Amino acid sequence: MAKTQQDFLVAARQEIPEVSVQEVQERGQPGDDFVLLDVRENDEVRAGYIDGAVAIPRGFLEFQVASKVPQTNKEVIVYCAGGARSLLAAQVLRSMGYENVSSMSGGITRWQDAGFPLQRDRQLNAEQLERYSRHFLLSQIGEKGQGKLLDAKVLLIGAGGLGSPAALYLAAAGVGTLGLVDADVVDLSNLQRQVLHSNDRIGMPKTESGKIAINAINPDVNVQAHNMRLTTDNVLDLFAEYDIIVDGCDNFPTRYLVNDAAVLARKPVVHGSIFQFEGQASVFKPHEGPCYRCLFPTPPPPGLVPS
Amino acid sequence: MVQATETVKLIVGQGEPLVGRLLMYDSLAMTFREIRLRRDPNCPLCGDDPTITELVNYEELCGLIPPEPVGAVG
C-alpha cells in the first residue's frame, strides 16, 4: 500500500527530535554553536527569514549541504514554514551522516506568531531577479550579496584605461552607486583602450560619456559624474560619500593624494596601475594592510617617471 | 577586471582580497607574479606614530614645479 503524507511525518517524528521556537530563540545567534537551516523555497525566504539562518531549498538539500554545512558533527536545527518539510529534510540530513539534527516545531509561522523578529533582504523587483539571476547561482553572492552590491557606493578615480573596464563590470554587476571623477574630455586617441567611451562621444566630458555607457548597460546604477580634478580641497568631502575607492589614476600626485585621503578617511582603495605591457593591482585597506606609502613612502624623482 | 573583481569581493565580503599582496601582471610574457606586502609600522601615514596627519601639496611632493594638472586619465 502506498504511503501517505501522514505516514512519512509520523515516521520522521519518531526519528527526529523537535525543538520549540522559544528554545531556538533562547539559543541566540546561530554560528559556531549550531546551524539554523532554512529549507524553504527561495521566494519564501525572500519574504523573511530568521537572522543568521543558512538557506538551502529542500530540493537542493543533498547537493548543497556539504558545502554550506561541512561538519557533520555540528548541531543543525532545521526549519521551514510549518514544521513538516523540516522534519523530512532533517531525516535526509541524518541519513547523510549529520549526527545532531532537530526540527523547529511549527516552523517560521509559529516563530512569527510568538513575536520573534524576521530578517528581510533588500527586495528585488522582477527585472532585477532576472538580471542578477546568475549571481544567485553563486552561493558567495546570492540575493543577499546582490543587495549589498545595490547598496554599495564606489568611487572610480579616472574614467580612462583602468577606470573603463572597472566601471563597465561594476555597472553590469549592479553596484548601486558609481561615482566617476575625471576632468578630461574624450579624445580619439583614448578609444583604443578606454572602452567606456565611443566615437560619437569624442569631445564630451569623460564623466558624461561614462554615465551614458553605464546607464546603457544597467539602469539600476546611479552614476555620479564628478567632472573635476581631484584636489586636497575636494577629496575628503568626496570620499565621505563612498564606501570604496577604485584608483585608476595615471599620475603620482593623484596617487599619493588618493592614498593619503583614503587612509585619513579610512576607506579601502582598490589600486591599479599600468605601464605599457605591465600592470599591478592591490587592495590597500587602511590599518588592516599596508598603504601605498608603506611601499613607496615618497614619490620617485620627476625625471624617473615615465609619462 | 582585477580591480572590479576585488571591489565586488570587498562589497559582498567574500574570498581573499589582495590586502597585503601586490599582483604583478606582464602581458608580453603572460605571467602573473605576486609579492607579499606588510604594513610598515614606521609608515609616515598609517604607521604606529604617523607624521602625516593631514593632506599635503602633492605637486610639490612629486617635485612637479610648476604644478601640472592632476586630472585623472589612465
Side-chain angles (χ1 to χ4, degrees), chain A residues 217-296:
Chain A
I217 292 177
N218 188 350
D220 277 348
V221 183
N222 162 25
V223 183
Q224 297 291 325
H226 304 289
N227 182 17
M228 61 190 195
R229 285 171 42 188
L230 202 63
T231 68
T232 50
D233 294 327
N234 60 26
V235 66
L236 290 172
D237 285 340
L238 195 57
F239 281 16
E241 293 170 36
Y242 293 90
D243 310 315
I244 298 174
I245 315 299
V246 177
D247 183 9
C249 79
D250 67 344
N251 62 81
F252 282 100
T254 306
R255 191 169 300 160
Y256 279 88
L257 171 63
V258 167
N259 181 68
D260 291 5
V263 171
L264 295 174
R266 292 180 175 262
K267 306 276 173 165
V269 175
V270 180
H271 166 83
S273 64
I274 39 172
F275 179 63
Q276 294 189 349
F277 294 95
E278 289 171 34
Q280 298 184 344
S282 190
V283 173
F284 299 128
K285 214 170 178 184
H287 305 288
E288 280 184 40
C291 77
Y292 190 73
R293 278 191 192 257
C294 292
L295 279 64
F296 309 107

Side-chain angles (χ1 to χ4, degrees), chain A residues 140 145 148-149 152 154 158 160-162 169-170 182 184 206 229 232 235 244 246-247 250-254 256-257 259-261 263-264 270-272 277-283 289-291 293-294 299 302, chain B residues 1-4 6-8 10-14 17-28 37-40 43-46 52-56 58-59 61-64 68-74:
Chain A
Q140 293 86 345
K148 289 182 186 172
L149 287 167
V154 174
L162 287 166
Y169 279 101
L170 292 174
D182 206 308
D184 280 341
K206 285 187 178 177
R229 285 171 42 188
T232 50
V235 66
I244 298 174
V246 177
D247 183 9
D250 67 344
N251 62 81
F252 282 100
T254 306
Y256 279 88
L257 171 63
N259 181 68
D260 291 5
V263 171
L264 295 174
V270 180
H271 166 83
F277 294 95
E278 289 171 34
Q280 298 184 344
S282 190
V283 173
C291 77
R293 278 191 192 257
C294 292
Chain B
M1 265 290 276
V2 172
Q3 284 182 291
E6 289 299 295
T7 305
V8 168
L10 290 177
I11 294 169
V12 301
Q14 291 287 339
L18 281 170
V19 176
R21 293 184 287 153
L22 183 70
L23 179 69
M24 295 184 293
Y25 162 62
D26 180 340
S27 62
L28 284 181
L37 308 173
R38 233 176 281 155
R39 188 177 78 89
D40 180 2
C43 173
L45 181 69
C46 75
I52 302 169
T53 53
E54 55 185 27
L55 300 173
V56 300
Y58 292 89
E59 278 87 4
L61 177 79
C62 295
L64 302 174
E68 286 186 0
V70 193
V73 207

